[in-house]
Amino acid sequence: GYTALGVVHERAWECHEQAVTVTDQLISRGGRTTGTARFHFHPDVAVALSGQTATAGPLHLTLRSPHPFRTQLVPYDMADGFNRLRPALCLEVFFTQQLETR
């Protein structure tokens, strides 16, 4: 999907007994490539950030990368039917080359 930009995105999934690990890798001919991962949450789910961990209801997301990364929570409007929007939160993760989400 990003070959026109000279970037290949690879994703690997590992299923464990109590967790799922998703590893995103950006491969570029030009060296280090930056990307943004977005996790959109339902409006009824309480979301909080603490260091490299995000909590969304009973779910705990642990984020890891071999390079420094930055996270932020941003508002978005979730479509809740025809011509109905509800305010919700999106976790944005700005990373370089590789991101592991568990």
Side-chain angles (χ1 to χ4, degrees):
Y2 302 102
T3 53
L5 300 174
V7 178
V8 174
H9 173 229
E10 290 183 352
R11 176 171 284 162
W13 297 75
E14 289 182 47
C15 295
H16 312 281
E17 189 171 315
Q18 295 293 320
V20 174
T21 301
V22 179
T23 303
D24 290 295
Q25 179 123 0
L26 302 176
I27 303 165
S28 168
R29 294 187 291 285
R32 288 188 177 178
T33 301
T34 59
T36 306
R38 290 183 178 89
F39 301 88
H40 294 82
F41 296 101
H42 189 274
D44 295 341
V45 175
V47 183
L49 277 176
S50 177
Q52 297 179 336
T53 302
T55 302
L59 181 68
H60 298 281
L61 297 173
T62 302
L63 306 163
R64 295 186 188 139
S65 178
H67 306 286
F69 63 93
R70 184 172 59 86
T71 59
Q72 68 180 15
L73 286 173
V74 296
Y76 82 99
D77 291 324
M78 184 197 85
D80 192 28
F82 181 73
N83 206 23
R84 284 189 316 209
L85 299 175
R86 290 180 61 192
L89 290 175
C90 174
L91 170 62
E92 291 184 333
V93 184
F94 304 95
F95 67 99
T96 302
Q97 227 167 341
Q98 183 178 356
L99 177 68
E100 179 184 287
T101 307
R102 185 178 172 106

